[in-house]
Amino acid sequence: MAGRILGKTLATVSLSVALASVTVKSAGFLSVPECRNSFSSCEFHLSSNIMSASNGAKENSHNKARTSPYPGSKVQRSQVPNEKVGWLVEWQDYNPVEYTALSVLAGPRWADPQISESTFSPKFNEKDGHVERKSQNGLYEIENGRPRWKRDKSGNKITHPISGKNILQFVAIKRKDCGEWAIPGGMVDPGEKISATLKREFGEEALNSLQKSSAEKRKLEEQLHKLFSQEHLVIYKGYVDDPRNTDNAWMETEAVNYHDETGEIMDNLTLEAGDDAGKVKWVDINDKLKLYASHSQFIKLVAEKRDAHWSEDSETDCRGL
């Protein structure tokens, strides 16, 4: 788990869940290609158990965060064995690789300045202007798409033959950077409302709004406003096992499920991949899904909350994580 990265805010959006991910300077959540800048003199560690598999964290909480090389690069990540993941485990020989993605070094508006810049003095563990630097999981220390029900041609909900539950669908995109299927998403600008991010990112990635004419964009804006004004549930808050995570910066998410019961709004929207998405399509929600980062976990929570089909094994269908 390496890299020196600094965090602002990241959001992942979809027809099934809207994920507002806060990246903070800490022991491990958010990072490389879409994330923060490297720094040379600061290290961040959690005072809670975010990074500790031996203190209540799930055993699989930090698998993708330890993949190598770093996403979109040939830089190999320092290898961290399972027994060394927890921050409460002493490891005197720990010496992570320094890495910052070129896309971050280019200075996009969503990235922090270099920590070495004299004019940059971030305020950690608190709201820093428009940037949220608090963690959902507690204090950290500083040391040097919407679902819709699957229906038949007559408009009736389709029931799974084994579980007997109705089947939910969600819009999935195929990411250009890694080729994995995922929930559409992107960065939240400082001070921006999540609802605005949802509409913008879903429009760009799942509807190719950036290539539309002015008249087409106005029509899409009206449709997306209706779409993201529907019923919603907060289904998850906290850490996401993302391959871009590092020791000192990690992704945190507030997952919100917006539900279009009839599917009427989505029926009038034509999916078209754009921006960071190579492909886009409707996907049935079930336990066979293999998605980017922790997205399968969020999809499962949606199915559980909506009492929808998840597994063909009735004994494990939508129970727990």
Side-chain angles (χ1 to χ4, degrees):
M1 322 215 10
R4 308 288 184 199
I5 310 175
L6 187 58
K8 280 188 181 175
T9 318
L10 170 71
T12 318
V13 300
S14 135
L15 285 188
S16 54
V17 287
L19 313 175
S21 309
V22 180
T23 48
V24 221
K25 220 66 144 163
S26 237
F29 197 17
L30 215 167
S31 85
V32 198
E34 288 186 11
C35 316
R36 304 312 172 237
N37 303 334
S38 67
F39 29 108
S40 58
S41 60
C42 298
E43 294 184 357
F44 300 81
H45 299 278
L46 290 181
S47 56
S48 60
N49 62 3
I50 298 176
M51 298 298 293
S52 178
S54 60
N55 289 276
K58 299 179 184 299
E59 292 183 1
N60 63 348
S61 292
H62 306 283
N63 288 332
K64 296 181 180 180
R66 289 183 284 163
T67 55
S68 190
Y70 281 99
S73 79
K74 296 182 180 179
V75 179
Q76 296 297 322
R77 193 190 297 259
S78 299
Q79 295 300 306
V80 179
N82 291 334
E83 66 273 14
K84 298 291 188 180
V85 170
W87 274 107
L88 299 182
V89 178
E90 185 175 352
W91 189 5
Q92 294 182 351
D93 296 329
Y94 179 57
N95 186 28
V97 173
E98 290 274 350
Y99 174 72
T100 302
L102 293 177
S103 59
V104 173
L105 292 174
R109 63 181 180 180
W110 43 260
D112 284 325
Q114 293 290 324
I115 193 68
S116 59
E117 293 187 15
S118 59
T119 56
F120 181 53
S121 301
K123 300 176 181 178
F124 301 112
N125 282 311
E126 61 180 281
K127 187 70 173 290
D128 185 6
H130 293 301
V131 179
E132 180 61 80
R133 301 191 191 279
K134 293 186 293 185
S135 168
Q136 297 276 359
N137 296 272
L139 297 177
Y140 48 90
E141 300 173 5
I142 303 175
E143 300 177 4
N144 298 333
R146 300 187 176 238
R148 69 174 183 185
W149 295 109
K150 188 175 185 179
R151 299 175 185 271
D152 59 24
K153 294 181 179 180
S154 299
N156 300 313
K157 294 180 182 178
I158 296 177
T159 300
H160 192 274
I162 297 179
S163 70
K165 294 187 174 184
N166 296 327
I167 300 173
L168 273 177
Q169 296 181 310
F170 77 105
V171 172
I173 63 164
K174 189 173 185 179
R175 295 176 61 102
K176 289 182 178 179
D177 58 355
C178 63
E180 291 186 88
W181 287 91
I183 300 166
M187 303 300 295
V188 176
D189 293 334
E192 183 179 40
K193 292 184 178 180
I194 296 301
S195 58
T197 307
L198 296 177
K199 290 184 286 188
R200 182 185 72 247
E201 294 297 337
F202 185 79
E204 291 177 359
E205 296 190 344
L207 303 174
N208 198 21
S209 62
L210 294 177
Q211 302 302 317
K212 303 297 183 183
S213 66
S214 297
E216 290 173 323
K217 287 180 179 179
R218 285 194 295 270
K219 183 178 179 179
L220 280 180
E221 176 67 24
E222 293 175 359
Q223 292 173 308
L224 291 174
H225 177 73
K226 293 179 181 179
L227 187 64
F228 291 106
S229 299
Q230 305 295 304
E231 172 193 357
H232 66 275
L233 294 171
V234 176
I235 61 173
Y236 180 84
K237 290 183 179 182
Y239 175 85
V240 175
D241 182 22
D242 191 286
R244 299 163 294 181
N245 291 352
T246 66
D247 295 353
N248 52 2
W250 63 90
M251 191 182 304
E252 291 189 1
T253 290
E254 179 175 328
V256 184
N257 164 221
Y258 287 83
H259 186 61
D260 185 11
E261 175 66 28
T262 65
E264 180 179 354
I265 300 173
M266 283 306 303
D267 288 342
N268 294 320
L269 289 173
T270 301
L271 297 182
E272 181 182 350
D275 196 27
D276 297 329
K279 295 181 180 180
V280 60
K281 65 180 181 180
W282 282 102
V283 176
D284 291 357
I285 292 180
N286 60 65
D287 64 341
K288 303 299 190 298
L289 291 174
K290 302 296 182 183
L291 302 177
Y292 179 77
S294 296
H295 294 193
S296 293
Q297 175 188 0
F298 305 141
I299 295 301
K300 180 178 181 180
L301 286 170
V302 173
E304 181 181 17
K305 294 292 185 182
R306 299 296 178 183
D307 194 28
H309 168 72
W310 174 254
S311 171
E312 294 186 4
D313 182 353
S314 60
E315 294 183 0
T316 60
D317 192 22
C318 280
R319 294 178 185 174
L321 290 176

